[in-house]
Amino acid sequence: RRRAAAHARDSTGTHTRRLRPARTAKPLTMGPKKIAAYLVFAGEMREPTKAELVAEGDAKPGMGDIAKRVGEKWKLLSEDEKAAYKQKAETINAENEREYAAKIASGEIVEGGEDDKDDNEPDLSLPLARVKRIMRLDKEVKNTAVDACRLVSRATELFVESLVEGAFHTMKAQKRKTVKHGDVEHHVLRKPRLEFLHDHVWAMRPTAAQKDKENVEGEADGASPRAPPAAPAGARQVTEFFGRAAEDVSAA
């Protein structure tokens, strides 16, 4: 429907472009994220809980084990104890609000929201619904907050961006116009922090047929496919020996 409306023809046979209505200014809704009372409690109890797990025999407790134990401790708190942490959270939120207002007044933060984005700029963000489903594949994860999904999605986008940027530099060094598997592999093998990807890169190596197809497609965006180097003067082809042997057999 959008394509038909955008390229609709009028009576004269010329294209008429569908005009987008002008956007109206919306009030600023952004601001510092408010912290919950549970997060204040978790911040105070994370290190003590980790020490408890180590004392119980777990040399390297994971974040999931620590969070699970902290959640159990939070459930055991009384209402008065939870109210104390709520008061701490309100104090922290009020301080963050004052700092945010001071940064706006000094010009360090420019007011604006998502409406400031260019309409022509493509949206390359990961779908939060898909990220949430992937996170919930872990049986220990019962629910995921929207802020956590956004954080994981943004971290993944930055990781993919750095990976593509490294592969792009390798491609430019080889004076090509197509990013290939070897470019990504070269970047991964050069970075010690990407060691966890070594097995995956190796397992996804293209076969010989796929490499030939990549070479043909890679040359198509630039020059014509490279011809094999010419043989030196006086050199003989290996096929000549097989052809001569076949002739001798047929003659016999």
Short mmCIF file of all heavy atoms in Angstrom, two decimals, residues 8-38:
data_model
loop_
_atom_site.label_atom_id
_atom_site.label_comp_id
_atom_site.label_asym_id
_atom_site.label_seq_id
_atom_site.Cartn_x
_atom_site.Cartn_y
_atom_site.Cartn_z
N ALA A 8 1.91 6.63 -6.89
CA ALA A 8 0.63 6.71 -7.59
C ALA A 8 0.74 7.68 -8.77
O ALA A 8 1.47 8.68 -8.72
CB ALA A 8 -0.47 7.17 -6.63
N ARG A 9 0.02 7.37 -9.83
CA ARG A 9 0.03 8.23 -11.02
C ARG A 9 -1.24 9.06 -11.08
O ARG A 9 -2.32 8.56 -10.81
CB ARG A 9 0.15 7.38 -12.29
CG ARG A 9 1.48 6.65 -12.44
CD ARG A 9 1.48 5.82 -13.72
NE ARG A 9 2.74 5.12 -13.86
CZ ARG A 9 3.83 5.62 -14.43
NH1 ARG A 9 3.81 6.86 -14.86
NH2 ARG A 9 4.93 4.91 -14.54
N ASP A 10 -1.07 10.32 -11.48
CA ASP A 10 -2.25 11.17 -11.66
C ASP A 10 -2.73 11.07 -13.10
O ASP A 10 -2.28 10.26 -13.90
CB ASP A 10 -1.93 12.62 -11.27
CG ASP A 10 -0.75 13.18 -12.08
OD1 ASP A 10 -0.35 12.49 -13.05
OD2 ASP A 10 -0.27 14.27 -11.76
N SER A 11 -3.65 11.93 -13.47
CA SER A 11 -4.24 11.86 -14.81
C SER A 11 -3.26 12.19 -15.90
O SER A 11 -3.43 11.79 -17.06
CB SER A 11 -5.45 12.80 -14.87
OG SER A 11 -5.04 14.14 -14.58
N THR A 12 -2.23 12.99 -15.63
CA THR A 12 -1.24 13.38 -16.64
C THR A 12 -0.17 12.32 -16.83
O THR A 12 0.69 12.47 -17.70
CB THR A 12 -0.58 14.69 -16.24
OG1 THR A 12 0.08 14.50 -14.98
CG2 THR A 12 -1.60 15.80 -16.10
N GLY A 13 -0.18 11.27 -16.02
CA GLY A 13 0.80 10.21 -16.17
C GLY A 13 2.08 10.44 -15.39
O GLY A 13 3.01 9.65 -15.49
N THR A 14 2.16 11.50 -14.64
CA THR A 14 3.36 11.79 -13.85
C THR A 14 3.18 11.24 -12.45
O THR A 14 2.05 11.04 -11.98
CB THR A 14 3.61 13.30 -13.77
OG1 THR A 14 2.46 13.92 -13.19
CG2 THR A 14 3.86 13.88 -15.16
N HIS A 15 4.28 11.01 -11.79
CA HIS A 15 4.23 10.48 -10.42
C HIS A 15 3.88 11.59 -9.44
O HIS A 15 4.37 12.72 -9.54
CB HIS A 15 5.59 9.89 -10.04
CG HIS A 15 5.90 8.64 -10.78
ND1 HIS A 15 5.33 7.43 -10.48
CD2 HIS A 15 6.71 8.41 -11.85
CE1 HIS A 15 5.79 6.50 -11.29
NE2 HIS A 15 6.63 7.07 -12.14
N THR A 16 3.06 11.28 -8.48
CA THR A 16 2.73 12.20 -7.40
C THR A 16 3.24 11.61 -6.11
O THR A 16 3.00 10.45 -5.81
CB THR A 16 1.21 12.43 -7.30
OG1 THR A 16 0.58 11.18 -7.11
CG2 THR A 16 0.68 13.09 -8.57
N ARG A 17 3.95 12.38 -5.35
CA ARG A 17 4.57 11.91 -4.12
C ARG A 17 3.67 12.19 -2.93
O ARG A 17 3.15 13.30 -2.80
CB ARG A 17 5.92 12.58 -3.92
CG ARG A 17 6.71 12.01 -2.77
CD ARG A 17 8.08 12.64 -2.73
NE ARG A 17 8.87 12.08 -1.64
CZ ARG A 17 10.11 12.45 -1.36
NH1 ARG A 17 10.70 13.38 -2.09
NH2 ARG A 17 10.75 11.90 -0.34
N ARG A 18 3.50 11.20 -2.10
CA ARG A 18 2.68 11.37 -0.91
C ARG A 18 3.44 12.20 0.11
O ARG A 18 4.56 11.85 0.50
CB ARG A 18 2.33 10.01 -0.30
CG ARG A 18 1.47 10.10 0.94
CD ARG A 18 1.01 8.71 1.34
NE ARG A 18 2.14 7.83 1.59
CZ ARG A 18 2.74 7.70 2.76
NH1 ARG A 18 2.31 8.41 3.80
NH2 ARG A 18 3.74 6.87 2.92
N LEU A 19 2.87 13.32 0.51
CA LEU A 19 3.53 14.22 1.45
C LEU A 19 3.26 13.77 2.87
O LEU A 19 2.16 13.37 3.21
CB LEU A 19 3.04 15.66 1.25
CG LEU A 19 3.32 16.26 -0.14
CD1 LEU A 19 2.76 17.67 -0.23
CD2 LEU A 19 4.83 16.26 -0.43
N ARG A 20 4.29 13.83 3.69
CA ARG A 20 4.16 13.46 5.09
C ARG A 20 3.76 14.69 5.90
O ARG A 20 4.36 15.76 5.74
CB ARG A 20 5.49 12.92 5.62
CG ARG A 20 5.45 12.53 7.08
CD ARG A 20 6.77 11.95 7.50
NE ARG A 20 7.02 10.69 6.78
CZ ARG A 20 8.12 9.97 6.97
NH1 ARG A 20 9.06 10.38 7.79
NH2 ARG A 20 8.29 8.83 6.29
N PRO A 21 2.77 14.57 6.74
CA PRO A 21 2.36 15.74 7.52
C PRO A 21 3.46 16.20 8.45
O PRO A 21 4.27 15.40 8.94
CB PRO A 21 1.14 15.24 8.31
CG PRO A 21 1.29 13.75 8.33
CD PRO A 21 1.97 13.39 7.05
N ALA A 22 3.51 17.50 8.65
CA ALA A 22 4.55 18.08 9.49
C ALA A 22 4.38 17.61 10.93
O ALA A 22 3.25 17.50 11.44
CB ALA A 22 4.49 19.61 9.43
N ARG A 23 5.50 17.34 11.56
CA ARG A 23 5.46 16.87 12.95
C ARG A 23 5.28 18.04 13.90
O ARG A 23 5.83 19.13 13.71
CB ARG A 23 6.75 16.15 13.31
CG ARG A 23 6.92 14.82 12.60
CD ARG A 23 8.10 14.08 13.16
NE ARG A 23 8.23 12.75 12.58
CZ ARG A 23 9.13 11.86 12.98
NH1 ARG A 23 9.96 12.17 13.96
NH2 ARG A 23 9.21 10.69 12.40
N THR A 24 4.50 17.81 14.91
CA THR A 24 4.31 18.82 15.93
C THR A 24 5.27 18.58 17.08
O THR A 24 5.62 17.43 17.38
CB THR A 24 2.87 18.78 16.46
OG1 THR A 24 2.59 17.47 16.96
CG2 THR A 24 1.88 19.08 15.33
N ALA A 25 5.74 19.63 17.66
CA ALA A 25 6.70 19.51 18.76
C ALA A 25 6.04 18.84 19.96
O ALA A 25 4.90 19.15 20.32
CB ALA A 25 7.21 20.90 19.15
N LYS A 26 6.77 17.91 20.54
CA LYS A 26 6.27 17.20 21.71
C LYS A 26 7.06 17.61 22.94
O LYS A 26 8.24 17.93 22.83
CB LYS A 26 6.40 15.69 21.52
CG LYS A 26 5.51 15.14 20.41
CD LYS A 26 5.65 13.64 20.32
CE LYS A 26 4.75 13.08 19.23
NZ LYS A 26 4.86 11.60 19.14
N PRO A 27 6.43 17.62 24.07
CA PRO A 27 7.16 17.99 25.28
C PRO A 27 8.25 16.96 25.59
O PRO A 27 8.14 15.79 25.26
CB PRO A 27 6.07 18.00 26.37
CG PRO A 27 5.01 17.10 25.84
CD PRO A 27 5.03 17.27 24.36
N LEU A 28 9.30 17.43 26.23
CA LEU A 28 10.41 16.57 26.62
C LEU A 28 9.97 15.59 27.70
O LEU A 28 9.44 15.97 28.72
CB LEU A 28 11.59 17.43 27.12
CG LEU A 28 12.81 16.68 27.62
CD1 LEU A 28 13.46 15.93 26.48
CD2 LEU A 28 13.81 17.64 28.26
N THR A 29 10.17 14.32 27.41
CA THR A 29 9.79 13.29 28.37
C THR A 29 11.01 12.53 28.90
O THR A 29 10.84 11.60 29.68
CB THR A 29 8.83 12.29 27.72
OG1 THR A 29 9.45 11.71 26.56
CG2 THR A 29 7.55 12.99 27.27
N MET A 30 12.20 12.89 28.43
CA MET A 30 13.40 12.19 28.85
C MET A 30 13.86 12.71 30.20
O MET A 30 13.48 13.80 30.63
CB MET A 30 14.50 12.34 27.81
CG MET A 30 14.15 11.76 26.45
SD MET A 30 15.48 12.00 25.25
CE MET A 30 16.78 11.04 26.03
N GLY A 31 14.72 11.99 30.83
CA GLY A 31 15.23 12.38 32.12
C GLY A 31 16.03 11.26 32.74
O GLY A 31 16.16 10.17 32.15
N PRO A 32 16.58 11.47 33.89
CA PRO A 32 17.35 10.41 34.53
C PRO A 32 16.45 9.25 34.94
O PRO A 32 15.32 9.44 35.39
CB PRO A 32 17.96 11.11 35.75
CG PRO A 32 17.04 12.24 36.04
CD PRO A 32 16.53 12.69 34.71
N LYS A 33 16.95 8.05 34.76
CA LYS A 33 16.20 6.87 35.15
C LYS A 33 16.11 6.78 36.67
O LYS A 33 17.11 6.98 37.37
CB LYS A 33 16.88 5.61 34.60
CG LYS A 33 16.91 5.55 33.08
CD LYS A 33 15.51 5.39 32.52
CE LYS A 33 15.55 5.24 31.01
NZ LYS A 33 14.20 5.08 30.44
N LYS A 34 14.91 6.48 37.14
CA LYS A 34 14.71 6.37 38.58
C LYS A 34 15.12 4.99 39.05
O LYS A 34 14.82 3.98 38.41
CB LYS A 34 13.25 6.65 38.94
CG LYS A 34 12.83 8.09 38.70
CD LYS A 34 11.43 8.35 39.21
CE LYS A 34 11.05 9.81 39.03
NZ LYS A 34 9.70 10.10 39.56
N ILE A 35 15.81 4.95 40.15
CA ILE A 35 16.29 3.70 40.71
C ILE A 35 15.28 3.17 41.71
O ILE A 35 14.65 3.95 42.45
CB ILE A 35 17.67 3.90 41.37
CG1 ILE A 35 18.26 2.56 41.80
CG2 ILE A 35 17.58 4.86 42.55
CD1 ILE A 35 19.69 2.66 42.29
N ALA A 36 15.09 1.87 41.73
CA ALA A 36 14.12 1.25 42.63
C ALA A 36 14.79 0.89 43.95
O ALA A 36 16.02 0.82 44.07
CB ALA A 36 13.52 0.00 41.99
N ALA A 37 13.97 0.65 44.96
CA ALA A 37 14.50 0.32 46.28
C ALA A 37 15.28 -1.00 46.24
O ALA A 37 16.30 -1.17 46.92
CB ALA A 37 13.36 0.24 47.29
N TYR A 38 14.80 -1.94 45.43
CA TYR A 38 15.49 -3.23 45.35
C TYR A 38 16.90 -3.08 44.79
O TYR A 38 17.83 -3.78 45.21
CB TYR A 38 14.69 -4.20 44.49
CG TYR A 38 15.40 -5.49 44.23
CD1 TYR A 38 15.50 -6.46 45.22
CD2 TYR A 38 16.00 -5.73 42.99
CE1 TYR A 38 16.17 -7.65 44.99
CE2 TYR A 38 16.67 -6.92 42.76
CZ TYR A 38 16.75 -7.88 43.75
OH TYR A 38 17.43 -9.05 43.53
#
